[in-house]
Amino acid sequence: FLAAGTEARSATERVVGYDAAAVVVHPSNPVRGLTLTALGELFAGRMTTWRAVRGANVSPRLVLPSGETSARSALRALVLSRATPAFTLAPTVTTVADEAAAVRAVAADPSAVAVVSLGAVDATVRALGVAGGRAPAVAPTAATVRTLRYPLVLAVVLAREASRAPTAAMEGFTALATSPAGQGLLTGAGYVGR
């Protein structure tokens, strides 16, 4: 995964789809959107109540799936590391087994917030809009991810060393990944096709 719009210097790349980091809250949470700065402050532990973003006067419970998920990578690369100075994750972040567990934790706790892949979002939680820069908050949908209007997007890429000529197997795999059948497989796995 690469942050959408970035380039690897030593590889030839082909974007085959996208993943998005969705910020999810309990459906009863009155907050509808966050700026990238507010999201960073939230997960750095600098925002001590939801009231700072027009929510309830309760402390947010921060939840992240364990391991190196694409959503966690997006939070780190597109939010935390871009702050000046860079934010670090709050020690109060609750780490759960996986994205499904993060969604369950948020669905069970009106004060909870998690960052998960868009494909993990279900009807038990609500995804917040996210605002990058001066733009209004944008909800994560297939259309806003595909057009890169949503700011927390990672590209799913096939890459090879630029110095290597593509093999028949590489060309065949690329053809599959970009075909309607391959795009269907990506979509079925929770990603957004091109």
Side-chain angles (χ1 to χ4, degrees), residues 4-5 18-21 34 36 78 118 128-154 192:
Y18 300 97
D19 193 9
L34 294 171
L36 289 173
L78 302 175
L118 181 59
L128 296 179
V130 177
R134 292 192 170 117
V138 176
T141 66
T144 62
V145 168
R146 190 177 295 113
T147 59
L148 306 180
R149 287 185 41 235
Y150 183 70
L152 298 177
V153 176
L154 296 175
V192 175

Side-chain angles (χ1 to χ4, degrees), residues 10 13 22 28 38 81 99 101 121-122 127-128 135-136 140 147 150 157 166 168 172 177 187:
S10 63
E13 302 170 355
S28 68
S81 67
E99 290 188 328
V121 177
D122 64 23
L128 296 179
T147 59
Y150 183 70
V157 298
T187 302

Side-chain angles (χ1 to χ4, degrees), residues 2 19 21 25 48 50 64-65 72 74 76 86 98 102 127 140 165-166:
L2 292 175
D19 193 9
V25 296
T48 57
W50 280 108
L64 286 174
R72 194 176 190 125
R76 188 176 43 257
D98 54 26

Side-chain angles (χ1 to χ4, degrees), residues 36-173:
L36 289 173
T37 300
L39 179 59
E41 290 173 347
L42 184 67
F43 274 88
R46 295 181 183 184
M47 188 181 301
T48 57
T49 71
W50 280 108
R51 181 185 283 180
V53 286
R54 298 185 179 173
N57 191 23
V58 297
S59 296
R61 177 176 169 227
L62 310 172
V63 180
L64 286 174
S66 67
E68 194 52 41
T69 65
S70 60
R72 194 176 190 125
S73 295
L75 177 65
R76 188 176 43 257
L78 302 175
V79 179
L80 299 175
S81 67
R82 291 194 177 172
T84 306
F87 291 135
T88 57
L89 281 177
T92 56
V93 171
T94 300
T95 303
V96 295
D98 54 26
E99 290 188 328
V103 168
R104 286 192 302 274
V106 171
D109 183 350
S111 70
V113 58
V115 178
V116 297
S117 292
L118 181 59
V121 177
D122 64 23
T124 65
V125 295
R126 182 170 42 79
L128 296 179
V130 177
R134 292 192 170 117
V138 176
T141 66
T144 62
V145 168
R146 190 177 295 113
T147 59
L148 306 180
R149 287 185 41 235
Y150 183 70
L152 298 177
V153 176
L154 296 175
V156 178
V157 298
L158 298 180
R160 67 173 169 79
E161 291 179 31
S163 61
R164 289 184 63 189
T167 65
M170 289 176 186
E171 289 178 346
F173 189 74

